[in-house]
Amino acid sequence: MPSLPALDQPITADSAARLPLGFDPAALPRETVRHYIPASEDDLAAMLRTLGLTKFDDLFAHLPKEIRAQPRLPLPEELSYEALQVRLASIAASNRPAAAFLGDGLPVYRVPAIVAAVAGIRNLTTAYTPYQPERSQGSLLTHWIYQCLMAQLTGFEAVNSSLYDRASALFEACCCSLRLAENAEADTVLLSGTLFPSDLEVLRTHAAETNLRLEVVEPSPTTGLLNPAAMRARALALGPRLAAIAFPQINSLGLLEDVDALTDIATELATRTIAVVDPILFATGGLKPPAQWGSTGHGADILVGEGQHLAIGPNFGGPGLGVFAVRHNQHVKNDIRATPGRFVGKAHDLSGRDCCVMVLSTREQHIRKDKATSNICSNQAFLATLVGAALLERGDAGLASAVGLGRTRALNAVEKLLRPGVELAFATPFFNEPTLALDRPIAPLLERGRLAGLHLGIDMSARLPGGRNLLKLSFTDAQTEGDLAKLFLFFDTEFGAKSSKSVAAVIPPIPSSALRQAPAGLLCVPHAELVTYYQKLGELNVSPDDGCYPLGSCTMKYNPYVNDWAANLPGFVNAHPQAPAEDVQGCLEVLHETQEWFKGITGLAAVTTQPLAGAQGELVGLKMMQAYHRSRGESHRNILLIPKSAHGTNFATAAMAGFASRLENGEPAGIVLLEASADGRIDLADCEAKITRFGPRLAGVMITNPNTCGLFETEFKRIADDVHAAGGLVYMDGANMNAIAGWVNLAAMGVDALHNNLHKTWTIPHGGGGPGDAIVAVSERLCDFLPGHQVEKQDGQFVAVKASQSIGSFHRHWGNFAHKVRAYAYLLRLGRDGVRQMSATAVLASRYLYAKLSPAYGSLPEGAGAQPRMHEFILTLSPEDFARVTKAGLPPAAVIPRVGKLFLDFGFHAPTVAWPEAFGLMIEPTESYTKAELDRFADAVLAILKLVREHPHALRGAPYFTPVDRVDDVAANRALVLSEPLRTLPWIHPNRISPRELAALPVAEITARILKVAPPLV
């Protein structure tokens, strides 16, 4: 997922189409085949014959006819590979570049060269979340590097491997502070009114209908700062209800807040401080890190910030990088357990090798469900990878230079720009974003600047009362000397040339107490050495490029190279989310087209592109459902029905939205579980009884379809009709859309809200855990409540409009825009026929493998029998097989996870183990592989079963060929080490046999090699 540096020259459609791809499509067998489906017609026919079928339609014959989509979807025809490039280049070129001084919520810095190099390492970009640490050391080490370097910058010992963006991280910090509060009455976070308005909107949107209360303390219009005395007075008034105080270091006006005084207030009142920061400014020579704030040396308690600009360009606002950190030292040991997100810790394998592993997983949604600390599932992991690499290439001196240049340019610019009609708005120190008070309205000035090829800055006039005309400009190392000259000329033209007799500007100095006193000490690594190092890290992972990646419920399909090429067209990469709409028409067109495509695919009335991941899509849907009921005067609807077998995010999301399980007046409220029948689908009698019981209080139902066992809920429409009759709404988790896209009409099914994971069905690379991405489609009932903006085409122009009763925003800007480009590129290559072909081939591959494997293995759910599986299925061992392995020395609970480790030794990633069935292996092959590849995978799975039956002792030492032996995650969690000063690059343990080598070996040869190294039978 590379991000290219800014280019000084504008890019035209023709020149963009000729930008080198950076790869040879002809050398990539999956890249140029139609619809990215490499199975031949003969392959498909042979697999259908194995199942006793003749055509794709037969795969969906068990679906009710009334919910089937029309064969001819209302979508465009597919584009050829070459036409795709021309089309996307033309769209990107319709964005107009300008000399930009925007910054504000998303600063723009130069992109280090290492970023594009690391982003081209496919085994890093396409790998899954590192749940299998023995085959994920590449991703884990990149995250460890990120955590260590960010700890050095911030002084915080525990930096997680990322949240979505600054705004969502701030919400998570507020929730974390409630969990940490010692007083049970604590429910309120005091917020500085100088936080970014977009962040405050995201906070309010998230907090609606929850136990979190937010109060804003407004700043002084004169100083532009928060008054510590006013904050203290309000904090005292709240008494035991106060959970935390949240404030920025650099506020939304570009000014330095008195962070020491604000931290001291929190220390005095024994409450938490949430520091909202720009981490790049902690470079040597920059600002004081929050671990040192306050007069007592206590520092802040929780840190959040935006880290996107540490590694990539603006990309129209995303993907971002939510920085989140807490203290973890001899004085503060337990705060870490109340935090959201993922942490990587130091570990050892069973042979004593140093390695890394994800720790503290028992806080997360896949284990704790509605009791999890957050619903986050995919994070921004690959952005963290890129930030780590970028910081290593810059090193201490390079980062200091970038930050110092921004500061110097800001000071020089103020000296040149101040004149009659232009003055500093505040006698308050700024760092690199001065706010000017002008003698004329800002909006017309910005438009004149735009026509002159300038994005002058951000209109601050509405952020304070008083009616002043305020303009904020941002200065970094990204601007060229030509950009600065253009800015100065424009001001000369607008306000008259500055007189040579003008008095020198009085610029408020930054007090030394606000500056960093000691070097950050970042390691600096030469570019060539760093490229080689990260390439070696990539070799430790396995990728869908290498072969079948059978991780059930995760849709690990092929991620086309050309999608990355499209997302990195300079017209997209360099577009700032706060640029004038006239100059980002290409970006708005992508969002508009994405909306229209997904309306056609789902059959639903409207689409929002703002959600950042599937889990956030779930939250968006539930929040809209709540708003719908509020609008009808039915806020009492507080029951949400969820099947027991649902993904953990469903429960965690419901709790986050305000549906936490509880008793109210002796009656259940929040989540109510739906039972499963013997065949693994929803027990209809149980469901109908609960709809009848809770009808007047029923907010809705949340159902995954196909469900987590790979079975289609054929009674979905009947359930939806019953829910609607009771006044509730229907949410469908679309995580398994790869099974039904183009074959089912969601509107006909009765769906009111649905998310699609773009990093599953729609080929966004997983990035070792993220960034994910999502859309949410809704029925007519919910159109008026959509978050963010809809993009409409009016009089030939794309414009952003807000829904009439919008619930607010879930992202500071437009969402993970670069991923929308990737998904759109994929859709253009699929066309109307490809959407259906994709899903049908995925179901065919799954059912074909099931037919080959289920006679030898057992299958789950036990009562499912001959129920047709969709895109995935669950295998298990027989009671006799379990007995063999336990006799060889493994406890029953360890058997299935250890079988999963054997998949690693055959060159594959493991299936999903022990979920949703405790003794299951869930396999999802996707449509990305030929029949020969599926046959070889099946041979390997059968060989594993033969090992279980004939050599069960072989499971004790698995895996054998990965870079490290089985990782001791128990010890890593007991003695947490979450960061350390990085003085050299971490040591890499190479593959004993790489996945590519294993893929070239006969299955029988791999079996023989395992038996040679397996521990002896005891």
Side-chain angles (χ1 to χ4, degrees):
M1 289 179 264
S3 182
L4 303 178
L7 299 182
D8 295 337
Q9 297 300 317
I11 298 296
T12 66
D14 287 342
S15 63
R18 291 194 299 271
L19 285 175
L21 289 173
F23 58 90
D24 179 8
L28 304 167
R30 302 184 218 280
E31 184 72 14
T32 54
V33 293
R34 190 182 182 203
H35 306 145
Y36 303 108
I37 298 173
S40 67
E41 290 299 321
D42 288 344
D43 282 351
L44 300 175
M47 288 192 282
L48 284 168
R49 282 196 302 273
T50 299
L51 303 176
L53 307 177
T54 60
K55 57 186 183 300
F56 279 159
D57 288 63
D58 298 339
L59 297 166
F60 301 91
H62 62 299
L63 273 58
K65 289 184 179 179
E66 64 267 26
I67 67 168
R68 297 276 292 273
Q70 293 298 315
R72 190 172 176 82
L73 298 173
L75 300 172
E77 298 287 353
E78 66 201 75
L79 295 182
S80 70
Y81 202 78
E82 293 73 21
L84 170 74
Q85 294 173 56
V86 173
R87 169 78 174 133
L88 287 165
S90 175
I91 295 174
S94 66
N95 288 334
R96 298 173 188 162
F101 301 88
L102 296 172
D104 198 40
L106 183 58
V108 180
Y109 284 79
R110 286 198 173 274
V111 176
I114 190 62
V115 169
V118 172
I121 301 172
R122 295 278 292 185
N123 280 34
L124 291 179
T125 66
T126 64
Y128 191 65
T129 305
Y131 288 126
Q132 293 287 343
E134 299 85 3
R135 184 40 77 204
S136 306
Q137 286 298 301
S139 293
L140 288 164
L141 281 167
T142 70
H143 300 163
W144 171 253
I145 289 168
Y146 166 80
Q147 290 180 189
C148 291
L149 294 173
M150 293 298 286
Q152 286 177 242
L153 272 180
T154 64
F156 274 57
E157 300 86 359
V159 183
N160 77 14
S161 60
S162 74
L163 299 180
Y164 301 135
D165 67 346
R166 179 186 57 243
S168 58
L170 180 53
F171 171 72
E172 295 280 9
C174 292
C175 295
C176 181
S177 72
L178 263 62
R179 290 189 291 271
L180 289 170
E182 296 180 3
N183 197 309
E185 295 178 56
D187 65 355
T188 303
V189 174
L190 279 181
L191 303 170
S192 167
T194 58
L195 292 165
F196 288 105
S198 58
D199 291 358
L200 290 171
E201 181 178 4
V202 170
L203 272 179
R204 293 185 180 107
T205 304
H206 278 77
E209 305 264 358
T210 73
N211 293 329
L212 172 64
R213 301 290 174 261
L214 304 172
E215 290 196 18
V216 176
V217 178
E218 297 296 346
S220 161
T222 303
T223 65
L225 298 177
L226 192 64
N227 183 338
M231 179 66 85
R232 184 176 183 277
R234 188 63 201 126
L236 285 169
L238 282 169
R241 291 183 56 205
L242 179 63
I245 299 171
F247 52 88
Q249 183 177 34
I250 300 286
N251 70 25
S252 71
L253 299 165
L255 307 173
L256 273 71
E257 294 282 1
D258 188 347
V259 294
D260 289 333
L262 293 168
T263 302
D264 284 346
I265 292 169
T267 302
E268 174 198 350
L269 301 179
T271 194
R272 306 281 171 168
T273 49
I274 300 172
V276 184
V277 302
D278 180 351
I280 201 170
L281 299 182
F282 301 138
T284 297
L287 297 178
K288 180 165 66 176
Q292 300 170 12
W293 293 358
S295 60
T296 67
H298 178 273
D301 298 293
I302 305 174
L303 173 151
V304 300
E306 181 57 59
Q308 176 179 339
H309 52 292
L310 286 166
I312 66 171
N315 286 278
F316 205 50
L321 176 67
V323 179
F324 184 101
V326 294
R327 307 306 303 273
H328 184 67
N329 51 47
Q330 61 181 347
H331 305 295
V332 184
K333 296 182 179 180
N334 293 319
D335 284 11
I336 187 76
R337 302 191 184 276
T339 60
R342 295 190 174 123
F343 291 87
V344 170
K346 284 192 76 171
H348 295 90
D349 74 358
L350 298 186
S351 297
R353 297 181 185 89
D354 288 336
C355 56
C356 290
V357 68
M358 290 199 303
V359 293
L360 299 165
S361 294
T362 52
R363 302 164 302 115
E364 294 191 57
Q365 47 73 33
H366 61 287
I367 294 175
R368 291 280 286 166
K369 295 189 172 183
D370 56 316
K371 301 298 191 296
T373 56
S374 171
N375 76 332
I376 191 166
C377 185
S378 65
N379 59 3
Q380 307 297 93
F382 196 70
L383 263 292
T385 292
L386 294 179
V387 166
L391 289 174
L392 287 172
E393 180 162 274
R394 280 189 170 116
D396 212 49
L399 194 68
S401 175
V403 171
L405 185 56
R407 170 68 175 165
T408 300
R409 284 178 167 171
L411 295 175
N412 291 342
V414 168
E415 287 280 2
K416 295 189 179 207
L417 294 178
L418 297 192
R419 64 195 72 192
V422 182
E423 59 185 29
L424 272 176
F426 308 101
T428 304
F430 62 87
F431 191 84
N432 66 319
E433 291 193 312
T435 295
L436 305 178
L438 307 182
D439 64 359
R440 62 201 65 185
I442 302 300
L445 183 75
L446 294 179
E447 174 60 12
R448 292 193 292 274
R450 186 185 75 80
L451 295 175
L454 279 163
H455 292 159
L456 275 178
I458 305 297
D459 187 349
M460 298 283 112
S461 306
R463 293 192 186 177
L464 286 176
R468 291 201 293 168
N469 301 311
L470 304 178
L471 174 70
K472 183 172 75 171
L473 298 91
S474 177
F475 296 89
T476 69
D477 66 342
Q479 289 109 1
T480 67
E481 291 302 317
D483 294 337
L484 295 166
K486 187 180 286 190
L487 173 69
F488 301 148
L489 177 61
F490 179 81
F491 268 73
D492 285 347
T493 303
E494 276 285 329
F495 297 95
K498 185 170 183 175
S499 169
S500 59
K501 298 180 181 179
S502 297
V503 178
V506 178
I507 300 175
I510 299 175
S512 61
S513 61
L515 295 173
R516 184 175 198 116
Q517 300 301 312
L522 299 180
L523 176 67
C524 184
V525 182
H527 178 82
E529 180 183 345
L530 205 52
V531 170
T532 300
Y533 181 81
Y534 274 84
Q535 287 172 339
K536 289 179 178 177
L537 290 178
E539 292 169 3
L540 308 183
N541 287 355
V542 66
S543 163
D545 291 359
D546 300 330
C548 189
Y549 204 116
L551 200 60
S553 190
C554 301
T555 314
M556 295 297 291
K557 60 166 62 178
Y558 178 69
N559 307 134
Y561 282 67
V562 75
N563 294 0
D564 283 344
W565 172 87
N568 284 287
L569 289 168
F572 292 141
V573 170
N574 298 326
H576 195 278
Q578 290 165 274
E582 297 87 346
D583 290 350
V584 288
Q585 285 292 293
C587 296
L588 295 176
E589 181 174 357
V590 168
L591 296 178
H592 176 265
E593 288 292 298
T594 302
Q595 293 169 189
E596 298 306 304
W597 272 84
F598 280 107
K599 284 195 282 187
I601 290 168
T602 63
L604 292 168
V607 170
T608 174
T609 59
Q610 195 180 54
L612 305 170
Q616 195 182 68
E618 295 170 10
L619 187 63
V620 168
L622 294 186
K623 289 290 188 184
M624 284 191 284
M625 288 164 61
Q626 291 171 324
Y628 171 85
H629 291 311
R630 282 199 307 272
S631 75
R632 295 162 58 88
E634 296 184 339
S635 296
H636 62 277
R637 291 187 175 270
N638 60 6
I639 295 288
L640 186 67
L641 303 178
I642 305 179
K644 272 186 176 179
S645 63
H647 194 282
T649 54
N650 287 185
F651 303 101
T653 298
M656 180 179 281
F659 290 104
S661 299
R662 60 195 184 276
L663 289 176
E664 290 187 0
N665 301 318
E667 283 290 311
I671 300 167
V672 170
L673 298 178
L674 295 177
E675 300 294 335
S677 62
D679 69 3
R681 294 180 297 173
I682 293 171
D683 184 321
L684 199 58
D686 175 72
C687 183
E688 289 177 340
K690 284 168 179 169
I691 292 172
T692 299
R693 176 183 175 186
F694 297 113
R697 293 196 293 126
L698 183 62
V701 66
M702 193 176 197
I703 300 175
T704 304
N705 203 15
N707 68 23
T708 54
C709 299
L711 301 167
F712 192 87
E713 298 282 356
T714 52
E715 297 295 337
F716 188 101
K717 184 176 183 337
R718 178 175 171 180
I719 294 170
D721 289 345
D722 289 347
V723 169
H724 286 145
L729 295 173
V730 177
Y731 186 94
M732 188 178 123
D733 182 327
N736 294 335
M737 195 74 177
N738 212 57
I740 58 172
W743 292 90
V744 172
N745 184 312
L746 282 302
M749 284 176 62
V751 172
D752 291 304
L754 158 100
H755 81 266
N756 269 201
N757 302 69
L758 301 190
H759 56 286
K760 293 186 178 183
T761 305
W762 308 106
T763 71
I764 302 306
H766 278 71
D773 201 22
I775 58 93
V776 171
V778 299
S779 69
E780 291 283 358
R781 292 181 179 90
L782 296 181
C783 287
D784 290 341
F785 304 97
L786 288 164
H789 289 86
Q790 296 289 286
V791 179
E792 297 179 357
K793 194 169 187 179
Q794 300 176 1
D795 300 324
Q797 289 284 301
F798 294 100
V799 297
V801 298
K802 198 85 169 171
S804 60
Q805 299 180 71
S806 174
I807 56 174
S809 286
F810 285 82
H811 184 251
R812 52 177 162 70
H813 293 116
W814 300 92
N816 286 348
F817 174 76
H819 276 353
K820 297 302 186 301
V821 177
R822 290 180 172 91
Y824 181 48
Y826 181 56
L827 292 169
L828 290 175
R829 284 284 284 138
L830 289 184
R832 69 161 64 93
D833 294 336
V835 172
R836 287 167 63 86
Q837 184 90 358
M838 168 198 77
S839 292
T841 306
V843 173
L844 176 59
S846 171
R847 209 169 291 175
Y848 174 71
L849 280 180
Y850 183 71
K852 290 178 73 78
L853 297 173
S854 59
Y857 281 84
S859 65
L860 297 172
E862 289 183 1
Q867 278 291 329
R869 271 54 174 188
M870 298 295 286
H871 63 303
E872 61 191 4
F873 56 91
I874 305 175
L875 299 179
T876 191
L877 302 178
S878 68
E880 294 79 12
D881 293 331
F882 276 105
R884 290 185 186 98
V885 180
T886 53
K887 187 177 179 180
L890 283 182
V895 173
I896 289 297
R898 204 65 58 83
V899 171
K901 300 299 183 188
L902 280 177
F903 279 77
L904 310 184
D905 283 331
F906 281 85
F908 301 102
H909 193 281
T912 297
V913 298
W915 185 88
E917 296 275 358
F919 296 107
L921 296 159
M922 184 159 61
I923 292 174
E924 181 183 3
T926 81
E927 74 279 9
S928 295
Y929 304 100
T930 64
K931 179 177 177 295
E933 289 176 300
L934 295 175
D935 286 340
R936 185 180 183 279
F937 174 74
D939 290 344
V941 180
L942 293 171
I944 289 170
L945 184 60
K946 187 175 181 181
L947 282 170
V948 169
R949 289 177 174 170
E950 298 179 6
H951 307 280
H953 61 285
L955 272 69
R956 293 209 316 269
Y960 299 100
F961 305 141
T962 48
V964 296
D965 289 333
R966 197 166 66 257
V967 176
D968 187 351
D969 59 328
V970 174
N973 277 281
R974 283 177 179 162
L976 288 171
V977 179
L978 302 174
S979 65
E980 61 188 14
L982 209 60
R983 305 306 180 204
T984 60
L985 291 175
W987 179 258
I988 294 176
H989 298 289
N991 286 301
R992 286 171 282 189
I993 305 178
S994 75
R996 287 191 174 92
E997 290 177 90
L998 290 166
L1001 291 175
V1003 168
E1005 171 65 18
I1006 297 173
T1007 301
R1009 294 192 184 195
I1010 289 173
L1011 291 175
K1012 281 184 180 179
V1013 297
L1017 181 63
V1018 178

